Amino acid sequence: MMKKMMIATTNVGKIKEFKQMLEPLGYEVLSLLDVKEPIDIEEDGKTFAENARIKAKTVFDILHMPVISDDSGLSINHLHGAPGVYSARFLGKDTSYEYKNQYILDELKQAKDRRCQYVCAIAYAKEDGSIHVFEGVMEGTVAFQAAGHNGFGYDPIFFYEPFGRTLGEVEEEQKNKVSHRGLALAKLLAYMEDPSCYM
Ligand code: IMP
């Protein structure tokens, strides 16, 4: 019988990504779109890891099955870590990223330190209720102007030195190999294949 895995999201892009990764390992991948009663999750953690853990625990406590959840965002040194865990809600959840990105560029006009990080935390609640968190970090700098239309969110202003361009200017595949999400996913996958690798 196939093992079931619940992905604690309704985001179709994330569901597709986890399906591609977990189905070859023999998992039947479910998501919150398959759950009849909507599950209300209060993301009130102070860190990405805390939020990912809260999501996994909330869903595990209701459904009693293995759960994977994630939380991610952009932290900017000059803004003392903002937008951080508020990345999706920064300046209002319905505000366009064109506006958010221009706001950040304006705030950083005189900044000496333009360093920033994308962070992704993935929490895995196992059948026994234990929760394991895996984190991936991608270091970059805030560009001097937005460039490119690839990716999403803050990608047009996230300058990645090894590529010599913003993430708005690179292909998805290229980004995924080095991204915060790609790194966290690789750690999760390694753990699922061999839990002793993190002992
Ligand atoms: P989450 O879906 O709650 O993890 O929210 C993540 C938010 O962080 C997104 O809505 C974006 O604002 C930002 N973010 C996270 N990862 C990326 C990325 O790879 N590119 C651009 N923005 C990102």
Side-chain angles (χ1 to χ4, degrees):
M1 210 177 68
M2 274 173 103
K3 299 166 276 184
K4 287 189 188 332
M5 179 69 76
M6 172 58 61
I7 312 297
T9 186
T10 52
N11 179 319
V12 181
K14 281 187 189 174
I15 298 166
K16 193 172 140 208
E17 198 175 351
F18 279 109
K19 268 196 175 161
Q20 279 170 354
M21 188 183 79
L22 296 173
E23 281 178 355
L25 296 182
Y27 285 93
E28 181 189 344
V29 174
L30 304 171
S31 75
L32 294 184
L33 296 176
D34 301 305
V35 178
K36 282 200 198 85
E37 292 290 318
I39 297 179
D40 193 25
I41 305 173
E42 206 176 328
E43 288 180 43
D44 55 0
K46 289 191 183 61
T47 63
F48 300 105
E50 265 177 44
N51 273 341
R53 194 178 275 275
I54 289 168
K55 286 187 226 182
K57 180 162 172 37
T58 306
V59 176
F60 180 87
D61 286 348
I62 294 170
L63 301 176
H64 306 288
M65 64 188 293
V67 180
I68 288 174
S69 68
D70 78 337
D71 196 50
S72 60
L74 174 69
S75 293
I76 300 173
N77 289 18
H78 183 74
L79 302 180
H80 311 289
V85 290
Y86 301 103
S87 289
R89 293 165 271 174
F90 185 54
L91 304 175
K93 74 175 169 50
D94 295 324
T95 304
S96 73
Y97 277 93
E98 217 180 321
Y99 185 90
K100 295 186 204 214
N101 287 340
Q102 191 54 52
Y103 177 91
I104 291 171
L105 292 175
D106 291 344
E107 284 291 302
L108 266 73
K109 259 196 185 126
Q110 312 291 337
K112 290 202 178 74
D113 184 358
R114 304 188 71 86
R115 285 174 298 169
C116 59
Q117 303 82 36
Y118 269 146
V119 181
C120 175
I122 296 181
Y124 171 32
K126 289 166 76 166
E127 224 149 19
D128 63 3
S130 62
I131 299 180
H132 305 260
V133 181
F134 305 91
E135 210 163 72
V137 178
M138 185 183 196
E139 303 278 352
T141 55
V142 175
F144 288 95
Q145 56 185 40
H149 298 283
N150 294 342
F152 67 101
Y154 301 99
D155 285 347
I157 62 164
F158 190 102
F159 187 85
Y160 186 60
E161 191 70 45
F163 293 160
R165 55 187 68 195
T166 74
L167 295 181
E169 298 175 291
V170 303
E171 294 304 322
E172 195 178 331
E173 254 181 38
Q174 205 182 348
K175 173 186 166 187
N176 289 347
K177 279 185 197 149
V178 290
S179 78
H180 50 318
R181 199 166 293 101
L183 295 172
L185 278 173
K187 287 184 188 173
L188 168 70
L189 215 55
Y191 177 80
M192 289 177 87
E193 280 174 352
D194 176 14
S196 69
C197 72
Y198 279 99
M199 284 185 176

